[in-house]
Amino acid sequence: MSPDISPIVLFFASIFTSNILLANFLGMCSFISISKDMNSSNGLGMAVTAVLTITAAINWVVINYILIPFDLLYLRYIVFIVVIAATVQILEMLIDRLSPSLYMALGIFLPLITVNCAILGVSLFIEIRKYTFIQTLFYAFGAGLGWWLAIMLLSAIQKKIANAPVPAGLKGPGITLITIGFMAMAFIGFSGMLIVQ
Amino acid sequence: MEFIIAPLIISILTGILAAIISITDKIVNNYGEITISINNGKKEIKIDGGENLLTTLSSKEIYLPSACGGRGSCGACKCKVTSDVGEYLPTEIPYLTKEEMKENIRLGCQIKLKKDISIEIPDSLFNVKKYEAVVEKIVDVTHDIKEVLFNLGNEEINFTAGMYMQLCIPPYDKIKNETQRAYSISSKPSDKHHIELLIRLVPGGIATTWVHTYLKEGDKVKLIGPFGEFEATPTNSTMICVAGGSGMAPFKSMLYHMYENNINDREIWYFFGARTKKDLFYLEELAELQEKWPNFHFVPALSEPEGEEWKGESGLITDVLDRYLKTIINSGYKEGYLCGSPGMINACNNVMTANGIKLENIYYDKFA
Ligand code: FES
């Protein structure tokens, strides 16, 4: 049974209260490594949002029309990964052709997204939580925007920290992790406002 | 039944995805016919777009240098692009200097051909060909250096002493892709049907391991070339040459070429550095050349001659060079010629400049 939540609520919940990065801690590696640079963060955020939404939609169709009818749900991991990899490939070709400048900006990040656990996580969530197609779309798009928001916030903070007197031992990943911890705590402030499950 | 259905469904699904990818590829990556204009229209090539510049040119038998086979990891395939091909890719930037970027130099293997393009390449590259050669002879000149002689058959090669060739290494053992590596030519330019290379075994090296363990006399191999700008200048200044190990190759070619063509009125000092006696080679040949050619001086030096019977120079090659430049060769107009590892080249560069040889008069062939 699909949960009875309005897609709009799901959308906002996935951006704020259940932010995929700051509440679920998914997609951390690229979040930490790319956030040093604003432009790349922006590009990656955009790419993650697009890939998340598209793959979640495709995976929803695959779950409901292939895996469940044939009783093959146990194969979902491998199927999801294959779908994500193929989608990223196709998207890469399309962007390369349609907007070389965007391709330039995303170029090396696009293939990286294939192995981003946030993408796989969202596909698994929509299966576990049994969302409808519309719910899936709103949830996945929101999750992407949430990831984008979080990485932009972090890179903005990192820019400030760059000029701050950080103790030598904490420079780099150390202070970044602490910052992420604070950000996660700040996002806890949203919890209870909307419920996502 | 399930054990049939599960793989079947997975295969169908992946099959469909693969089909979608290749259809998209066919439609999206179809850039139609494009024109590559080379050296202000001197040569024009029409070709289907979509591939990178390096492979497209080589399919038309124009070979840019490449030591990594187009993987963007050697930085050898530089060429000047005079039309707009977009901004620099992150994969290109590490291999280009600021000056090169100002000049619009790009890495050929990283440029995808999507529309008409115009490029500038040295004219000498038109001379570059792919040769199908047969290994005529392999000689161990030291415990880790092989002298390999390739026979080019009916084909002729024209090169300047000091240039290099690219040897194509076929897939072998665990190496799945063909790769290429550059080696200086050690034979004389007058021998137009042979190419000789000196190849030192680098432990774990893909190409050198292949040459040392798999390559046999009679084998067929592909060679591309000649490339490079390392050559003796047409001046009369004293040449100070320094090499180590297989860095012998370009000098062997240069020296014999000069001797053969009576370019013998300039002073030449050739310092050859090795660790122990077993790392030295061609001693007799070079001693013989020295006897016939009064202006040529060969100075082999051992850095670790301990316990060996050795009458020549000992010490680091940089120290020996420094001593000679301060005492014996301390006058006149000099040029430096270096071939060897980047470390050795930098060290010798410092010694030479400290002894008054101008940086712009030092030429080198660096091992990448
Ligand atoms: S061929 Fe090696 S970098 Fe282009």
Coordinates of all heavy atoms in Angstrom, one line a residue, chain A residues 14-72:
Chain A
S14 N 11.5 16.0 1.6 CA 12.8 15.5 1.1 C 13.9 16.6 0.9 O 15.1 16.3 0.9 CB 12.6 14.7 -0.2 OG 12.1 15.6 -1.2
I15 N 13.4 17.8 0.8 CA 14.5 18.9 0.7 C 15.0 19.2 2.1 O 16.2 19.3 2.4 CB 13.9 20.1 0.1 CG1 13.4 19.9 -1.3 CG2 15.0 21.2 0.1 CD1 12.9 21.1 -2.0
F16 N 14.0 19.4 3.1 CA 14.4 19.9 4.4 C 14.5 18.9 5.5 O 15.6 18.5 6.0 CB 13.5 21.1 4.8 CG 13.6 22.2 3.8 CD1 12.6 22.5 3.0 CD2 14.8 23.0 3.8 CE1 12.7 23.5 2.0 CE2 14.8 24.0 2.8 CZ 13.8 24.3 2.0
T17 N 13.3 18.3 5.9 CA 13.3 17.5 7.1 C 14.1 16.2 6.9 O 14.7 15.6 7.8 CB 11.9 17.2 7.6 OG1 11.2 16.5 6.5 CG2 11.2 18.4 7.9
S18 N 14.0 15.6 5.7 CA 14.7 14.3 5.5 C 15.7 14.5 4.4 O 15.8 13.7 3.5 CB 13.7 13.2 5.0 OG 12.6 13.2 5.8
N19 N 16.5 15.6 4.5 CA 17.5 15.8 3.5 C 18.4 14.6 3.3 O 18.9 14.1 4.3 CB 18.3 17.0 3.9 CG 19.3 17.4 2.9 OD1 20.3 16.7 2.6 ND2 19.1 18.6 2.3
I20 N 18.5 14.2 2.1 CA 19.2 12.9 1.8 C 20.7 12.9 2.4 O 21.2 11.9 2.8 CB 19.2 12.6 0.3 CG1 19.7 11.2 0.0 CG2 20.0 13.6 -0.5 CD1 18.6 10.2 -0.2
L21 N 21.3 14.1 2.3 CA 22.6 14.2 2.8 C 22.7 14.3 4.4 O 23.4 13.6 5.1 CB 23.3 15.4 2.2 CG 24.3 15.1 1.1 CD1 24.7 16.5 0.5 CD2 25.5 14.4 1.6
L22 N 21.9 15.3 4.8 CA 22.1 15.7 6.2 C 21.2 14.9 7.2 O 21.5 14.9 8.4 CB 21.8 17.2 6.4 CG 22.8 18.0 5.6 CD1 22.4 19.5 5.6 CD2 24.2 17.9 6.1
A23 N 20.2 14.2 6.7 CA 19.5 13.3 7.6 C 19.8 11.8 7.3 O 19.9 11.0 8.2 CB 18.0 13.5 7.4
N24 N 20.1 11.5 6.0 CA 20.4 10.1 5.8 C 21.9 9.8 5.5 O 22.3 8.7 5.4 CB 19.6 9.6 4.5 CG 18.1 9.6 4.7 OD1 17.7 9.1 5.8 ND2 17.4 10.2 3.8
F25 N 22.6 10.9 5.4 CA 24.1 10.8 5.2 C 24.4 9.9 4.0 O 25.3 9.1 4.0 CB 24.8 10.3 6.4 CG 24.7 11.3 7.5 CD1 23.7 11.1 8.5 CD2 25.5 12.4 7.6 CE1 23.6 12.1 9.5 CE2 25.4 13.4 8.5 CZ 24.4 13.2 9.5
L26 N 23.7 10.1 2.9 CA 24.0 9.4 1.7 C 24.6 10.4 0.7 O 24.2 11.6 0.6 CB 22.7 8.9 1.1 CG 22.1 7.7 1.8 CD1 20.8 7.3 1.2 CD2 23.1 6.5 1.8
G27 N 25.6 9.9 -0.1 CA 26.2 10.7 -1.1 C 27.3 11.6 -0.5 O 27.6 12.7 -1.0
M28 N 27.9 11.1 0.6 CA 28.9 11.9 1.3 C 30.2 12.2 0.6 O 30.8 13.2 0.7 CB 29.2 11.2 2.6 CG 28.3 11.5 3.7 SD 28.5 13.2 4.0 CE 27.5 13.4 5.4
C29 N 30.7 11.1 -0.1 CA 32.1 11.3 -0.6 C 32.2 12.4 -1.6 O 33.1 13.3 -1.5 CB 32.6 10.0 -1.2 SG 31.3 8.9 -1.9
S30 N 31.3 12.5 -2.6 CA 31.4 13.6 -3.6 C 31.0 14.9 -2.9 O 31.6 16.0 -3.2 CB 30.5 13.3 -4.8 OG 29.3 12.8 -4.4
F31 N 30.1 14.8 -1.9 CA 29.7 16.0 -1.1 C 31.0 16.7 -0.5 O 31.2 17.9 -0.6 CB 28.7 15.6 -0.1 CG 28.2 16.6 0.9 CD1 27.6 17.8 0.4 CD2 28.3 16.5 2.2 CE1 27.1 18.7 1.2 CE2 27.9 17.4 3.1 CZ 27.2 18.6 2.6
I32 N 31.8 15.8 0.1 CA 32.9 16.4 0.8 C 34.0 16.8 -0.2 O 34.6 17.9 0.0 CB 33.5 15.3 1.8 CG1 32.5 15.1 2.9 CG2 34.9 15.8 2.4 CD1 32.9 14.0 3.9
S33 N 34.3 16.0 -1.2 CA 35.4 16.3 -2.1 C 35.1 17.4 -3.0 O 36.0 18.2 -3.4 CB 35.9 15.0 -2.8 OG 34.8 14.5 -3.5
I34 N 33.9 17.6 -3.5 CA 33.6 18.6 -4.5 C 33.3 19.9 -3.9 O 33.4 21.0 -4.6 CB 32.4 18.1 -5.4 CG1 32.7 16.7 -6.0 CG2 32.2 19.1 -6.6 CD1 33.9 16.7 -6.9
S35 N 32.8 19.9 -2.7 CA 32.3 21.2 -2.1 C 33.3 22.3 -2.0 O 32.9 23.4 -1.6 CB 31.6 20.9 -0.8 OG 32.6 20.4 0.1
K36 N 34.6 22.0 -2.3 CA 35.5 23.1 -2.1 C 35.3 24.2 -3.2 O 35.7 25.3 -3.0 CB 36.9 22.5 -2.3 CG 37.4 21.9 -1.0 CD 38.8 21.3 -1.2 CE 38.9 19.9 -0.7 NZ 38.5 18.8 -1.5
D37 N 34.7 23.8 -4.3 CA 34.6 24.8 -5.3 C 33.1 25.0 -5.7 O 32.4 24.1 -6.0 CB 35.3 24.2 -6.6 CG 35.1 25.1 -7.8 OD1 35.1 26.3 -7.6 OD2 34.9 24.5 -8.9
M38 N 32.7 26.3 -5.6 CA 31.3 26.6 -5.8 C 30.7 26.2 -7.1 O 29.6 25.6 -7.2 CB 31.1 28.1 -5.7 CG 30.9 28.6 -4.4 SD 29.1 28.9 -4.2 CE 29.0 29.5 -2.6
N39 N 31.5 26.4 -8.2 CA 31.0 26.1 -9.5 C 30.8 24.7 -9.7 O 29.7 24.2 -10.2 CB 32.0 26.6 -10.6 CG 31.8 28.1 -10.9 OD1 30.8 28.6 -10.6 ND2 32.9 28.7 -11.4
S40 N 31.8 23.9 -9.3 CA 31.6 22.4 -9.4 C 30.5 21.9 -8.6 O 29.7 21.0 -9.0 CB 32.9 21.7 -9.0 OG 34.0 22.4 -9.5
S41 N 30.3 22.5 -7.4 CA 29.2 22.1 -6.5 C 27.9 22.3 -7.2 O 27.0 21.4 -7.2 CB 29.2 22.8 -5.2 OG 30.4 22.7 -4.6
N42 N 27.8 23.4 -7.8 CA 26.6 23.8 -8.5 C 26.3 22.8 -9.6 O 25.2 22.3 -9.8 CB 26.7 25.2 -9.1 CG 25.4 25.8 -9.4 OD1 24.3 25.3 -9.0 ND2 25.4 26.8 -10.3
G43 N 27.3 22.5 -10.4 CA 27.2 21.6 -11.6 C 26.8 20.2 -11.1 O 25.9 19.6 -11.6
L44 N 27.5 19.8 -10.0 CA 27.2 18.4 -9.5 C 25.8 18.4 -8.9 O 25.1 17.4 -9.2 CB 28.3 18.1 -8.5 CG 28.3 16.6 -8.0 CD1 28.6 15.7 -9.2 CD2 29.2 16.4 -6.9
G45 N 25.4 19.4 -8.2 CA 24.1 19.4 -7.7 C 23.0 19.3 -8.8 O 22.1 18.5 -8.7
M46 N 23.2 20.0 -9.8 CA 22.3 19.9 -10.9 C 22.3 18.5 -11.5 O 21.2 18.0 -11.8 CB 22.8 20.9 -12.0 CG 21.7 21.5 -12.9 SD 22.5 22.5 -14.2 CE 23.4 23.6 -13.3
A47 N 23.5 18.0 -11.7 CA 23.5 16.6 -12.3 C 22.9 15.6 -11.4 O 22.1 14.7 -11.9 CB 25.0 16.3 -12.6
V48 N 23.2 15.7 -10.1 CA 22.6 14.7 -9.2 C 21.0 14.8 -9.2 O 20.3 13.8 -9.3 CB 23.1 15.0 -7.7 CG1 22.2 14.2 -6.7 CG2 24.5 14.5 -7.6
T49 N 20.5 16.0 -9.2 CA 19.1 16.2 -9.3 C 18.5 15.6 -10.5 O 17.5 14.8 -10.4 CB 18.7 17.7 -9.3 OG1 19.4 18.3 -8.2 CG2 17.2 18.0 -9.1
A50 N 19.1 15.8 -11.7 CA 18.6 15.3 -12.9 C 18.6 13.7 -12.9 O 17.7 13.0 -13.1 CB 19.4 15.8 -14.1
V51 N 19.8 13.2 -12.5 CA 20.0 11.7 -12.5 C 19.1 11.1 -11.5 O 18.4 10.1 -11.8 CB 21.5 11.4 -12.3 CG1 21.6 9.9 -12.2 CG2 22.3 11.9 -13.4
L52 N 19.0 11.7 -10.3 CA 18.1 11.1 -9.3 C 16.7 11.0 -9.8 O 16.0 9.9 -9.7 CB 18.1 12.1 -8.1 CG 18.8 11.6 -6.8 CD1 18.7 12.7 -5.7 CD2 18.2 10.3 -6.4
T53 N 16.1 12.1 -10.3 CA 14.7 12.1 -10.7 C 14.5 11.1 -11.9 O 13.6 10.3 -11.8 CB 14.3 13.5 -11.3 OG1 14.9 14.4 -10.4 CG2 12.8 13.7 -11.3
I54 N 15.4 11.1 -12.8 CA 15.2 10.2 -14.0 C 15.3 8.7 -13.6 O 14.5 7.9 -13.9 CB 16.2 10.5 -15.1 CG1 15.9 11.9 -15.6 CG2 16.1 9.5 -16.3 CD1 16.9 12.5 -16.5
T55 N 16.4 8.4 -12.8 CA 16.6 7.0 -12.5 C 15.5 6.5 -11.5 O 15.1 5.4 -11.6 CB 18.0 6.8 -11.8 OG1 18.1 7.7 -10.7 CG2 19.1 6.9 -12.7
A56 N 15.1 7.4 -10.6 CA 14.0 7.0 -9.7 C 12.7 6.6 -10.5 O 12.1 5.6 -10.2 CB 13.7 8.0 -8.7
A57 N 12.4 7.5 -11.5 CA 11.2 7.2 -12.3 C 11.4 5.9 -13.0 O 10.5 5.0 -13.0 CB 11.0 8.4 -13.2
I58 N 12.5 5.7 -13.7 CA 12.7 4.5 -14.4 C 12.7 3.3 -13.5 O 12.0 2.2 -13.8 CB 14.1 4.5 -15.2 CG1 14.1 5.6 -16.2 CG2 14.3 3.2 -15.9 CD1 15.4 5.8 -16.9
N59 N 13.4 3.4 -12.4 CA 13.4 2.3 -11.4 C 12.0 1.9 -10.9 O 11.7 0.8 -10.6 CB 14.4 2.5 -10.3 CG 15.8 2.3 -10.7 OD1 16.0 1.5 -11.7 ND2 16.8 2.9 -10.1
W60 N 11.2 3.0 -10.7 CA 9.8 2.7 -10.2 C 9.1 1.8 -11.2 O 8.5 0.9 -10.9 CB 9.1 4.1 -10.1 CG 7.7 3.9 -9.5 CD1 7.4 3.9 -8.1 CD2 6.5 3.6 -10.1 NE1 6.1 3.7 -7.9 CE2 5.5 3.5 -9.2 CE3 6.1 3.4 -11.5 CZ2 4.2 3.2 -9.5 CZ3 4.8 3.2 -11.8 CH2 3.8 3.0 -10.8
V61 N 9.2 2.2 -12.5 CA 8.6 1.4 -13.6 C 9.2 -0.1 -13.5 O 8.4 -1.0 -13.6 CB 8.8 2.0 -14.9 CG1 8.3 1.1 -16.0 CG2 8.2 3.4 -15.0
V62 N 10.5 -0.2 -13.4 CA 11.1 -1.5 -13.4 C 10.6 -2.3 -12.2 O 10.2 -3.5 -12.3 CB 12.6 -1.4 -13.3 CG1 13.3 -2.7 -13.2 CG2 13.1 -0.7 -14.6
I63 N 10.5 -1.7 -11.0 CA 10.1 -2.4 -9.8 C 8.6 -2.9 -10.0 O 8.3 -4.0 -9.8 CB 10.0 -1.4 -8.6 CG1 11.4 -1.0 -8.2 CG2 9.4 -2.2 -7.4 CD1 11.4 0.2 -7.2
N64 N 7.8 -2.0 -10.4 CA 6.4 -2.3 -10.4 C 5.9 -3.1 -11.6 O 4.9 -3.8 -11.6 CB 5.5 -1.0 -10.4 CG 5.6 -0.4 -9.0 OD1 5.0 -0.9 -8.0 ND2 6.4 0.6 -8.8
Y65 N 6.6 -3.0 -12.7 CA 6.2 -3.8 -13.9 C 7.1 -5.0 -14.2 O 6.7 -5.8 -15.0 CB 6.1 -2.8 -15.1 CG 4.9 -1.9 -15.0 CD1 5.1 -0.6 -14.5 CD2 3.6 -2.3 -15.2 CE1 4.0 0.3 -14.3 CE2 2.5 -1.5 -15.0 CZ 2.7 -0.2 -14.5 OH 1.7 0.7 -14.3
I66 N 8.2 -5.1 -13.6 CA 9.1 -6.2 -13.9 C 9.4 -7.0 -12.6 O 9.0 -8.2 -12.5 CB 10.4 -5.8 -14.6 CG1 10.1 -5.1 -15.9 CG2 11.3 -7.0 -14.9 CD1 11.3 -4.5 -16.6
L67 N 10.0 -6.3 -11.7 CA 10.5 -7.1 -10.5 C 9.3 -7.7 -9.7 O 9.4 -8.9 -9.3 CB 11.4 -6.2 -9.6 CG 12.6 -5.7 -10.3 CD1 13.5 -5.0 -9.3 CD2 13.4 -6.8 -11.0
I68 N 8.3 -6.9 -9.4 CA 7.2 -7.4 -8.5 C 6.4 -8.5 -9.3 O 6.3 -9.6 -8.7 CB 6.3 -6.3 -8.0 CG1 7.2 -5.4 -7.1 CG2 5.1 -6.8 -7.3 CD1 6.5 -4.3 -6.4
P69 N 6.0 -8.3 -10.5 CA 5.2 -9.3 -11.2 C 5.9 -10.6 -11.3 O 5.3 -11.7 -11.2 CB 4.9 -8.7 -12.6 CG 5.1 -7.3 -12.4 CD 6.0 -7.0 -11.3
F70 N 7.2 -10.6 -11.5 CA 8.0 -11.8 -11.7 C 8.6 -12.3 -10.4 O 9.4 -13.3 -10.4 CB 9.1 -11.6 -12.7 CG 8.6 -11.5 -14.1 CD1 8.5 -10.3 -14.7 CD2 8.2 -12.6 -14.9 CE1 8.0 -10.1 -16.0 CE2 7.7 -12.5 -16.2 CZ 7.6 -11.3 -16.7
D71 N 8.3 -11.6 -9.3 CA 8.7 -12.0 -8.0 C 10.3 -12.0 -7.9 O 10.9 -13.0 -7.5 CB 8.2 -13.4 -7.7 CG 8.1 -13.6 -6.2 OD1 8.3 -12.6 -5.5 OD2 8.0 -14.8 -5.7
L72 N 10.9 -11.0 -8.5 CA 12.3 -10.9 -8.5 C 12.9 -9.8 -7.7 O 14.0 -9.3 -8.0 CB 12.8 -10.7 -10.0 CG 12.5 -11.9 -10.9 CD1 12.9 -11.5 -12.3 CD2 13.3 -13.1 -10.5

